[in-house]
Amino acid sequence: MQESAKESNYYRQMSDLTNYNPSQREAVTFGEGPLLVLAGPGSGKTFTITQRILYLIHEKQIPPQKLLVITFTREAAVSMRQRFLQISPQHTTVNFGTFHSCFYQILLRSGRVSPGNILNEKQKKELIYPVLKKIKAHNALSATDLPELAKNLLTAIGYYKNTGDLQSSMDRLPEEWKNDFAQVYSGYEEARKRIRGLDFDDMLKECEELLQKDEALLAYWQILFSYILIDEFQDINYRQYCIVRLLAQKHKNVFAVGDDDQAIYGFRGAKPACMKQFVQEFGAKQIILSTNYRSHQDIVEASLAGVGVIAENSDRFPKNLEPCEANRRHLGKMDKKNYHVRIREFSGAKEQLQFLMRQLKDRTEGETYGILFRTNLAMQSVAASLTREGIPFSIKEHGKNIYDHFVVQDILAYLRIAQGTAARADYLRVVNKPFRNISREAFGGEVSLQALEHYYANLMRQTGAGYLRSAYDAVRLLRRQMEFVKNTDLKLAVWFVRKACGYENYLQQRQRMEQTEEWMEILDFITEEAGQYKTLREWQEAQEIYREQLQKENEHHPKKGREENADCQIRLLTVHASKGLEFDHVWIPDCNEKTFPHGNVQDTEHLEEERRIFYVAMTRAKKNLELLCLTGTAERPRFPSRFLIPLNRYRR
């Protein structure tokens, strides 16, 4: 097709090589064959990919329909396509898609699947529910817990299908379900095959087997997709890599862009080792995009090799990154107080939260602020405080409301019992937290502590059984405790439930078994939160306001388009959700052991991924980065993250 003079001039402008730095220029104008582009944070990888597409079409005269551009999320595929069409609006036949959407098209056009065969999340849960109920007695599975359990098991099943790693798949499950995983998997697969359904993970397996068996079909797709460009290559799993290897084995034109230092999706089965396998098997050349256009020099140095965090990882591609000229220091060596990276220490979560509130109240118009968390739940306490303070914010991902957490619900159940407004479920929830030897059978008629006391008194008279004495005494003590709780202020009431009623000891024992610090942090939060309100009713009304706030966030930012809120000044999100984003100012709370790295680190592979997660969080910052950690108290000491050790010069 002949280009008009206007189009030709347009392309000459867009392909002006002076717009690129040397490494970008080398990548964009690379010739035939395999190439691995190692793109560090803020290095302009999306710009490089879109310009590479333009170069292939305009300079190399490659038909647009022969280009396959693969991303890992639908949102990323849409964004990449939109950015490309802004610079080349007439080339609509370039193939942009996710791995699943691309491989689905191969299966669909071969007649191996139909749209009705693909199972959505609701359908998958409907298949697995009967399996779970068959394995465990129905009454042992709470109706509220069943959806979350099903979600966890389906995630483990998907991980197993992608990796074949049975042990790692089981490690993602609650302890009581690990031994049942094989039975759950078998039951789910039988149910799926019975209705001839396929989930997303099955599509990869089916596609690989189809291309391996049908040489003519493989040749067709190899010709059609003679140039393959892959974004976020570090997130590829082994099955995806094998399919790419099949499609590319004829022409070997694979343009893979990624950063092994930002490989943070191991829990989904991602294998950054595939990057090295690609280099070895394809003989791929490597180009490093070495300029960080995002971050100030202090942030770049703090995060990088040699003196920074990621240097501690051994299994990585060596790369030296540097800030662009605009982000360099121009006044020589800066003194400590002027660093753009700071480590701040707080005795506890209360002080840390108060600091964040002060900082966010004093925000500058037009600047962006990101608070990044290791877990979704940790984010909720800050969100609740922002709601109470009337500070507008945005949450990127749907998550559990902190007030729905079992720790909060336990405390609220105690308070409702004290106020005489408790339902039967409240009593059943907490009467044995801690264990008081109170049986469910005791709640037969009227539900109250007085009725419970009468029940055990009558039973002792009738049976004379001495073992009932402990339950009777426990109920009497609980009645006296609840009388005190009823007649005191809300914060003291919560504190009394924690200490005098034994709830904190119960939680600590359970926490040690689960190996988490999070529950005690929630208990601390709920204690301080209670102090903001005069009555339980007022507090519960505030919780409903927060619930409505979250609901509005979810309605305003549905899953398909949450990035539309990118202009919001303050954003709360997990580190995983922050990938690909940037903010003028970034805070990372809870930079402590068991948070960064999360849980108890068992092996080097896990530790290195946790360090990469921390690195990704650090590199979202453009102007300022603050790392917040808790020192704890004598009663409950906390230990700063080992990831802060190379950064001691930034302590304030």
Side-chain angles (χ1 to χ4, degrees):
M1 182 178 70
Q2 277 194 327
E3 295 173 344
S4 67
K6 183 178 180 181
E7 288 174 328
S8 180
N9 182 58
Y10 172 81
Y11 279 122
R12 279 197 296 272
Q13 291 177 353
M14 292 309 304
S15 59
D16 183 2
L17 299 184
T18 61
N19 293 327
Y20 313 148
N21 67 41
S23 54
Q24 288 174 331
R25 185 183 306 120
E26 185 181 5
V28 168
T29 61
F30 181 75
E32 303 286 303
L35 177 67
L36 175 63
V37 181
L38 294 163
S43 61
K45 69 176 179 64
T46 303
F47 171 81
T48 303
I49 294 173
T50 54
Q51 294 299 306
R52 170 66 175 176
I53 300 169
L54 186 65
Y55 178 84
L56 289 173
I57 295 172
H58 179 59
E59 299 294 339
K60 305 296 288 185
Q61 300 296 304
I62 307 300
Q65 63 270 21
K66 288 186 173 290
L67 304 181
L68 174 62
V69 185
I70 304 177
T71 66
F72 280 84
T73 66
R74 181 168 52 188
E75 291 86 352
V78 170
S79 176
M80 184 85 68
R81 177 180 173 83
Q82 289 174 341
R83 291 188 61 173
F84 175 71
L85 291 178
Q86 286 175 356
I87 63 174
S88 184
Q90 69 273 43
H91 289 131
T92 59
T93 56
V94 176
N95 301 283
F96 292 89
T98 64
F99 276 101
H100 286 97
S101 67
C102 295
F103 300 160
Y104 172 68
Q105 289 302 318
I106 294 175
L107 292 171
L108 189 64
R109 292 177 64 174
S110 67
R112 293 290 290 266
V113 300
S114 65
N117 292 131
I118 307 303
L119 301 170
N120 58 36
E121 290 303 310
K122 181 181 178 182
Q123 291 170 319
K124 288 160 61 176
K125 286 184 178 180
E126 288 173 350
L127 289 178
I128 204 171
Y129 282 164
V131 178
L132 303 184
K133 292 175 181 178
K134 185 178 179 181
I135 294 172
K136 300 279 189 183
H138 181 67
N139 60 8
L141 293 172
S142 162
T144 56
D145 294 338
L146 191 57
E148 187 68 22
L149 175 62
K151 178 183 176 182
N152 291 338
L153 282 160
L154 287 168
T155 299
I157 288 171
Y159 186 90
Y160 179 63
K161 287 182 177 181
N162 281 310
T163 66
D165 188 339
L166 178 60
Q167 187 59 51
S168 294
S169 304
M170 291 168 58
D171 288 343
R172 285 155 170 76
L173 297 174
E175 195 66 38
E176 65 270 22
W177 280 91
K178 288 182 179 180
N179 293 334
D180 296 307
F181 178 66
Q183 191 177 351
V184 173
Y185 178 83
S186 176
Y188 171 76
E189 286 295 281
E190 287 177 11
R192 179 185 63 77
K193 291 175 181 177
R194 193 162 51 248
I195 64 170
R196 302 182 67 184
L198 290 176
D199 57 32
F200 274 9
D201 303 302
D202 294 315
M203 285 197 298
L204 301 184
K205 182 173 179 287
E206 289 283 328
C207 187
E208 183 182 12
E209 291 177 352
L210 176 63
L211 295 175
Q212 287 173 333
K213 293 176 181 177
D214 194 328
E215 293 183 2
L217 185 70
L218 175 61
Y220 169 82
W221 290 103
Q222 287 175 336
I223 294 170
L224 183 61
F225 298 144
S226 52
Y227 288 81
I228 301 174
L229 299 91
I230 306 173
D231 188 23
E232 303 289 3
F233 191 58
Q234 75 278 352
D235 296 332
I236 199 167
N237 66 42
Y238 187 67
R239 177 151 278 146
Q240 291 166 340
Y241 174 76
C242 289
I243 299 174
V244 169
R245 184 171 58 190
L246 283 167
L247 292 172
Q249 66 184 11
K250 180 177 177 64
H251 301 288
K252 294 184 169 52
N253 292 319
V254 179
F255 187 87
V257 183
D259 181 10
D260 56 323
D261 290 334
Q262 299 185 71
I264 62 174
Y265 293 109
F267 67 94
R268 295 180 184 169
K271 294 293 182 184
C274 289
M275 297 179 74
K276 291 187 176 181
Q277 189 170 348
F278 170 64
V279 171
Q280 294 165 357
E281 292 183 347
F282 281 77
K285 182 179 178 179
Q286 300 173 49
I287 294 174
I288 299 175
L289 302 186
S290 56
T291 302
N292 183 319
Y293 292 94
R294 174 185 299 158
S295 304
H296 185 274
Q297 183 172 342
D298 287 342
I299 299 168
V300 175
E301 290 178 352
S303 64
L304 277 180
V307 294
V309 169
I310 204 64
E312 301 293 319
N313 277 9
S314 58
D315 188 18
R316 57 187 294 268
F317 285 92
K319 56 184 86 71
N320 293 314
L321 307 182
E322 57 186 20
C324 66
E325 184 61 29
N327 289 330
R328 291 181 182 276
R329 294 192 208 100
H330 298 289
L331 301 176
K333 186 176 180 181
M334 302 289 286
D335 61 53
K336 188 175 181 178
K337 65 181 180 181
N338 290 322
Y339 277 145
H340 290 248
V341 178
R342 299 179 181 87
I343 296 175
R344 297 188 186 271
E345 296 180 337
F346 306 91
S347 61
K350 175 186 175 183
E351 290 77 14
Q352 178 181 257
L353 187 59
Q354 290 173 337
F355 168 78
L356 278 172
M357 292 301 107
R358 290 195 301 271
Q359 295 295 301
L360 295 172
K361 283 180 180 178
D362 194 32
R363 61 193 181 279
T364 302
E365 189 67 30
E367 302 267 271
T368 56
Y369 301 83
I371 305 99
L372 311 185
F373 303 85
R374 182 63 182 85
T375 66
N376 192 293
L377 189 58
M379 174 169 61
Q380 296 295 321
S381 62
V382 176
S385 295
L386 288 170
T387 300
R388 187 178 66 244
E389 297 289 339
I391 301 174
F393 66 95
S394 170
I395 293 183
K396 182 178 179 181
E397 55 261 85
H398 294 255
K400 285 187 176 180
N401 185 336
I402 192 170
Y403 297 115
D404 292 333
H405 193 274
F406 82 87
V407 172
V408 181
Q409 288 299 311
D410 286 351
I411 295 296
L412 292 173
Y414 266 113
L415 296 180
R416 285 192 290 266
I417 290 172
Q419 296 296 326
T421 60
R424 177 187 177 89
D426 291 319
Y427 286 92
L428 292 174
R429 184 179 192 95
V430 298
V431 291
N432 282 309
K433 295 180 180 178
F435 184 67
R436 297 184 174 96
N437 204 24
I438 299 172
S439 69
R440 295 177 68 93
E441 287 75 19
F443 298 92
E446 179 190 348
V447 181
S448 68
L449 290 177
Q450 185 177 10
L452 201 59
E453 185 178 339
H454 289 160
Y455 171 84
Y456 279 106
N458 292 333
L459 197 60
M460 283 194 298
R461 282 195 297 269
Q462 293 168 12
T463 65
Y467 70 89
L468 297 171
R469 171 61 64 176
S470 65
Y472 175 74
D473 290 343
V475 172
R476 293 191 67 189
L477 175 61
L478 186 59
R479 277 191 69 186
R480 292 195 298 272
Q481 290 170 336
M482 293 298 97
E483 284 295 324
F484 177 84
V485 169
K486 180 181 180 180
N487 297 306
T488 191
D489 68 85
L490 206 54
K491 183 176 180 179
L492 181 58
V494 175
W495 191 259
F496 188 84
V497 169
R498 288 180 62 168
K499 300 293 185 179
C501 296
Y503 184 77
E504 185 169 315
N505 285 336
Y506 154 80
L507 199 65
Q508 286 175 333
Q509 292 173 7
R510 185 175 168 186
Q511 184 174 258
R512 282 193 290 272
M513 294 173 61
E514 299 287 341
Q515 299 179 343
T516 178
E517 294 285 343
E518 201 165 65
W519 297 347
M520 293 303 297
E521 301 295 347
I522 294 171
L523 192 56
D524 288 343
F525 164 75
I526 208 71
T527 304
E528 293 302 321
E529 174 85 354
Q532 307 297 319
Y533 304 95
K534 293 181 179 179
T535 66
L536 177 60
R537 182 176 179 179
E538 183 184 332
W539 191 17
Q540 289 180 313
E541 288 174 351
Q543 292 171 21
E544 284 305 310
I545 292 173
Y546 178 62
R547 194 181 304 277
E548 290 171 5
Q549 166 82 3
L550 290 185
Q551 184 61 36
K552 288 179 181 177
E553 281 287 325
N554 293 340
E555 291 173 355
H556 187 62
H557 310 293
K559 190 172 183 181
K560 293 182 180 179
R562 289 177 202 159
E563 297 309 315
E564 294 175 2
N565 202 38
D567 60 344
C568 183
Q569 257 196 295
I570 301 172
R571 301 189 74 189
L572 311 185
L573 60 174
T574 63
V575 179
H576 285 90
S578 75
K579 188 75 165 54
L581 303 179
E582 59 184 32
F583 306 92
D584 293 316
H585 309 276
V586 167
W587 291 273
I588 308 175
D590 304 323
C591 295
N592 288 83
E593 291 292 304
K594 296 189 177 181
T595 303
F596 289 104
H598 189 60
N600 284 346
V601 179
Q602 301 295 327
D603 53 55
T604 301
E605 183 179 357
H606 179 199
L607 177 61
E608 295 207 344
E609 173 151 340
E610 288 292 319
R611 188 176 284 110
R612 292 194 296 267
I613 293 170
F614 193 66
Y615 172 74
V616 167
M618 294 177 68
T619 55
R620 300 310 94 193
K622 296 166 64 177
K623 297 179 179 180
N624 291 290
L625 169 66
E626 300 214 11
L627 308 169
L628 316 181
C629 67
L630 310 179
T631 58
T633 62
E635 181 184 22
R636 184 154 54 92
R638 298 295 305 273
F639 301 98
S641 169
R642 68 191 78 181
F643 301 156
L644 299 180
I645 294 174
L647 307 177
N648 279 328
R649 65 190 181 279
Y650 298 115
R651 290 188 180 275
R652 293 290 298 271

